[in-house]
Amino acid sequence: MAQADSGDADTPDREIRLLKNPNGQWTARDLRVGVTAQGESRDGALDNLDAVVEAVEGDGGQPPTDDEIRELGVDPEDARTQDGELPDVLQ
């Protein structure tokens, strides 16, 4: 079930815009954080938005695996030896 509100008293109230796209997908945008996510349903869009907000503001997300890097067409060893500069596909 979509949460759409962290309930954290230390953060400003969240303002979320929810739009149904012409293709039937839903777009949810958190105006305070400035991020957007989509889903096939309203709940899906809100769940995806919560995941994006968590990744941006919290401890969400993780570094990409070697397999994920390879799927982007980048050699993982090359990606690690860029002296802090990520390949374009990873930026």
Side-chain angles (χ1 to χ4, degrees), residues 14-42:
R14 287 178 75 182
E15 183 176 347
I16 295 172
R17 298 237 171 115
L18 191 59
L19 303 166
K20 187 169 185 180
N21 302 319
N23 67 359
Q25 294 251 346
W26 286 84
T27 298
R29 179 157 181 81
D30 186 308
L31 299 178
R32 178 182 56 83
V33 180
V35 295
T36 302
Q38 289 188 321
E40 293 193 21
S41 67
R42 290 170 40 160

